[in-house]
Amino acid sequence: MNQTQYSRIHIALSPWDLTDDYNRHAGVTMLSALEHSSQPVTIHLLYDAKLSFGKEKEEAYNKACYQNIADKYNCELEYHHVELPKWIEELPCLKKWTPGAMLRLYLPELLQDLDKIIYFDCDMIIRTSIDVLWNTNINKYLSACKDNSIPYFSRNRRKLYHKLGIDVDSYFCSGVLVMNLKRIRNEHPKFAENLLTYIKNNQNLPYPDQDLLNWFCEGNYDELDQKYNIYSDR
C-alpha cells in the first residue's frame, strides 16, 4: 500500500443480507466509526447478492441509508459480493451465528490492492479514534483484543480447543481486527479456502469465525488495547 492509500482508512463491515433489519446495526457501527475519524474513510460492505432476489426494494432502501451516512462524512462506499459455499449454511455451528460472520475470511483475496484493513462486527459502537487504530503498527497476521473471559471458559471448551490446537491462554476476540492482508496473501494465498476446509472437518466449533482465526494464528498476533473490547449487555 503506497502512502496515498495509507492516507485513507479502510474499514470492512459484513451485513451479509442487505435486505434485513440487521443493517440498522451496521449503520450505527458505520456512523460511529466515521464520527471518530479525522482522515478520509472507505467502508467496504461484504454481502451476498443472491439474498436480495425478490427483495430489491429492501436492498435499495438499505443502500440508500448507507449512502446518506457516507455522503454526510464524505466517505467512499464499496460493496463486495461474497457467495459462501452451500454447505456452509448447513453447519451445526452456524445455526446460532449468522453465516455472514464467515465473510471476513475473504478479505485478503477481495481487497488485492490493500495491505491492511480494520474489521468491525456490525454490533459495535466506536467511541474512540479509529485513526489511532488504523495507524497501529502491525507485523503479524492481525491485531486483536485478548478475550478477557478466558478464565471463565468451560472445561469442555478448553478440552476442545486443546484437541484442535487452539491456544486457550492467548485466545482473542474477532469483533475488532486489524488484518495484515498483504502478509496473509503472500504467505497463505488460499487463506479462506483452507480455513473453510478446516471448519468443514471440525463442525462443532462454538465460535466459528473466531475459533478459525485463533487456530490460524496459533496465539501469534499483535494484541490491541482492551479499550477496543468493552462489552455491554444493556
Side-chain angles (χ1 to χ4, degrees):
M1 183 185 289
N2 60 39
Q3 195 61 38
T4 302
Q5 288 175 303
Y6 272 120
S7 67
R8 295 196 69 87
I9 295 174
H10 290 264
I11 296 172
L13 304 174
S14 179
W16 184 48
D17 183 350
L18 287 180
T19 70
D20 67 15
D21 289 340
Y22 193 62
N23 290 274
R24 292 184 294 181
H25 301 290
V28 171
T29 301
M30 175 178 165
L31 177 62
S32 65
L34 294 173
E35 281 279 357
H36 291 87
S37 174
S38 63
Q39 296 177 235
V41 177
T42 298
I43 301 284
H44 301 265
L45 293 163
L46 312 182
Y47 76 110
D48 184 347
K50 75 179 189 299
L51 299 176
S52 298
F53 292 162
K55 297 185 286 184
E56 288 78 9
K57 288 185 178 178
E58 290 88 341
E59 177 184 324
Y61 172 79
N62 284 318
K63 280 188 171 181
C65 291
Y66 286 129
Q67 193 61 55
N68 286 339
I69 297 172
D71 289 345
K72 180 179 178 181
Y73 294 92
N74 196 27
C75 167
E76 293 181 354
L77 284 184
E78 293 188 13
Y79 289 89
H80 305 273
H81 164 64
V82 183
E83 189 167 345
L84 292 166
K86 287 284 187 182
W87 56 265
I88 283 284
E89 297 180 29
E90 301 303 318
L91 291 178
C93 57
L94 284 176
K95 297 303 180 183
K96 178 179 180 182
W97 311 104
T98 168
M102 307 301 289
L103 300 190
R104 74 194 76 191
L105 303 181
Y106 290 88
L107 286 169
E109 63 187 76
L110 283 173
L111 305 176
Q112 293 285 334
D113 295 332
L114 296 183
D115 289 355
K116 67 176 179 178
I117 193 150
I118 298 172
Y119 178 90
F120 289 130
D121 272 347
C122 293
D123 58 357
M124 307 288 298
I125 296 178
I126 291 83
R127 300 181 63 187
T128 189
S129 171
I130 61 170
D131 302 35
V132 175
L133 187 60
W134 177 249
N135 292 312
T136 299
N137 189 34
I138 174 171
N139 297 307
K140 298 175 183 175
Y141 291 123
L142 55 82
S143 297
C145 294
K146 188 174 182 179
D147 192 330
N148 54 24
S149 69
I150 290 173
Y152 309 104
F153 283 9
S154 68
R155 181 178 298 179
N156 287 340
R157 187 175 176 186
R158 288 176 176 273
K159 286 174 64 177
L160 174 63
Y161 286 168
H162 179 73
K163 178 182 177 182
L164 297 177
I166 295 174
D167 187 344
V168 174
D169 294 328
S170 60
Y171 188 89
F172 61 82
C173 298
S174 63
V176 178
L177 300 170
V178 184
M179 298 179 70
N180 189 337
L181 302 179
K182 182 178 181 179
R183 181 172 178 184
I184 294 173
R185 273 195 304 269
N186 288 345
E187 298 182 16
H188 299 274
K190 294 185 177 181
F191 176 69
E193 180 182 334
N194 290 341
L195 267 63
L196 292 181
T197 298
Y198 184 83
I199 197 173
K200 191 173 187 178
N201 295 327
N202 298 278
Q203 300 186 13
N204 59 340
L205 296 179
Y207 297 89
D209 68 280
Q210 189 164 276
D211 292 341
L212 282 175
L213 290 169
N214 273 276
W215 168 76
F216 170 75
C217 288
E218 298 181 307
N220 190 24
Y221 66 96
D222 291 315
E223 190 171 337
L224 291 173
D225 191 292
Q226 281 296 322
K227 70 181 181 180
Y228 299 112
N229 188 34
I230 297 174
Y231 172 79
S232 174
D233 59 1
R234 293 194 297 175

